């Protein structure tokens, strides 16, 4: 079974402070991990995926297979980063590639 | 940039009624999905659809649910006899490729909020 855990429902930081949104996963095979973001009144959109290893809007995430984690980080938070962030997992091979989501973390960046 | 669209944005229905939620996936995409999110809970997978048939479904997707691609553009989710617990936001998503090693990005629609009274 696949499971994604995001332990923080709400994370509040000041503008300019570092951000780390935690994500741990459980899956017996090879997973692909994603971070999706949902800004207020907007649709879910992909922020980044571990396979592409890129930085989007200053965010990075490294897959740590030993710790089964995929934490999202940004060195300096901006006000426009305030949003709901979802970590998600899909098996790399086989099937319909359904996404299994965590419960999400609401990031609030305060001035 | 092409987007997944969903209609209606909000649907209110009486318990026991049938509802059809509509989605227009991105035109060259081959894989289609429905997810739902009950208020305050996580986004949950319902069903995936490829090559005009269901490729995977969750245990939530029981006999009350069905999906259809009635023409070349629409992808629908039907709930035959709605229950109070079906109240949720329903998201459609689509993906370009047909599976295999790795997975391409799933693009989500804005969602339909279903309220069952």
């Amino acid at each position: 079974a696949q499971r994604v855990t995001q332990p923080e429902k709400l994370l509040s930081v000041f503008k300019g402070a570092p951000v780390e949104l935690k994500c741990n996963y459980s899956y017996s095979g090879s997973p692909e991990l994603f971070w999706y973001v949902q800004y207020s009144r907007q649709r879910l959109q992909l922020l980044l995926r571990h396979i592409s290893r890129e930085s989007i809007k200053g965010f990075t995430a490294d897959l740590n297979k030993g710790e089964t984690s995929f934490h999202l980080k940004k060195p300096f938070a901006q006000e426009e980063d305030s949003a709901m962030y979802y970590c998600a997992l899909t098996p790399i091979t086989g099937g319909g590639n359904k996404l299994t989501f965590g419960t999400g973390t609401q990031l609030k960046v305060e001035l | 940039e092409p987007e997944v669209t969903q209609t209606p944005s909000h649907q209110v229905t009486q318990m026991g009624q049938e509802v059809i939620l509509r989605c227009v996936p991105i035109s060259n995409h081959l894989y289609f999905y429905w997810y739902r999110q009950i208020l305050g809970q996580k986004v949950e997978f319902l069903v995936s659809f490829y090559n005009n048939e269901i490729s995977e479904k969750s245990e939530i997707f029981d006999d009350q649910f069905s999906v259809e691609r009635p023409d070349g553009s629409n992808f629908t989710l039907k709930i035959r006899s709605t229950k109070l617990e079906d109240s949720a936001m329903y998201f459609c998503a689509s993906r370009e490729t047909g599976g295999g090693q790795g997975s391409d990005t799933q693009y989500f629609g804005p969602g339909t909020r279903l309220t069952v009274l």
Side-chain angles (χ1 to χ4, degrees):
Chain A
Q2 308 161 201
R3 192 164 65 193
V4 176
T5 303
Q6 293 179 253
E8 301 137 331
K9 279 189 122 168
L10 173 66
L11 183 65
S12 189
V13 301
F14 286 107
K15 181 180 172 180
V19 173
E20 183 179 46
L21 301 174
K22 291 186 167 44
C23 171
N24 287 88
Y25 67 90
S26 171
Y27 179 60
S28 55
S30 294
E32 182 170 4
L33 274 296
F34 304 82
W35 278 99
Y36 276 82
V37 61
Q38 189 172 31
Y39 300 103
S40 180
R41 301 182 189 282
Q42 294 188 29
R43 66 187 67 206
L44 277 164
Q45 53 188 282
L46 181 69
L47 181 62
L48 52 79
R49 50 197 292 190
H50 92 268
I51 277 182
S52 57
R53 301 186 65 82
E54 52 190 350
S55 172
I56 305 290
K57 301 184 179 183
F59 285 97
T60 59
D62 290 316
L63 181 62
N64 185 324
K65 292 185 179 179
E67 295 182 0
T68 59
S69 68
F70 188 57
H71 303 326
L72 184 68
K73 299 177 184 178
K74 184 170 182 176
F76 308 106
Q78 302 298 314
E79 195 181 354
E80 56 265 28
D81 296 330
S82 295
M84 193 73 173
Y85 290 81
Y86 294 95
C87 183
L89 172 158
T90 192
I92 279 184
T93 56
N97 297 99
K98 68 177 184 186
L99 287 167
T100 297
F101 285 88
T103 48
T105 298
Q106 179 76 46
L107 175 64
K108 186 176 177 185
V109 180
E110 299 183 80
L111 298 174
Chain B
E1 188 174 324
E3 290 185 329
V4 177
T5 59
Q6 290 185 244
T7 54
S9 56
H10 192 187
Q11 173 96 45
V12 181
T13 190
Q14 296 289 326
M15 192 169 57
Q17 295 295 304
E18 174 183 288
V19 295
I20 297 176
L21 309 183
R22 291 184 166 79
C23 169
V24 179
I26 295 172
S27 63
N28 62 333
H29 285 192
L30 300 178
Y31 254 102
F32 313 116
Y33 305 82
W34 283 102
Y35 294 84
R36 79 170 185 192
Q37 185 177 31
I38 294 171
L39 190 63
Q41 298 186 25
K42 66 170 74 176
V43 176
E44 300 174 289
F45 167 78
L46 291 178
V47 65
S48 60
F49 191 86
Y50 171 67
N51 201 25
N52 279 320
E53 58 184 28
I54 290 173
S55 52
E56 189 175 0
K57 60 183 181 180
S58 72
E59 52 197 36
I60 301 168
F61 193 88
D62 62 21
D63 292 344
Q64 293 299 312
F65 291 88
S66 62
V67 288
E68 195 178 28
R69 188 147 161 87
D71 52 42
S73 59
N74 290 283
F75 178 52
T76 61
L77 174 69
K78 183 195 290 187
I79 310 175
R80 286 191 186 82
S81 177
T82 48
K83 307 186 193 76
L84 295 175
E85 54 265 36
D86 293 328
S87 295
M89 182 73 97
Y90 288 80
F91 295 104
C92 174
S94 70
R95 181 167 70 88
E96 186 171 356
T97 63
Q101 189 86 13
S103 61
D104 284 359
T105 302
Q106 290 186 30
Y107 293 86
F108 282 78
T112 293
R113 179 164 297 286
L114 176 65
T115 303
V116 182
L117 302 176

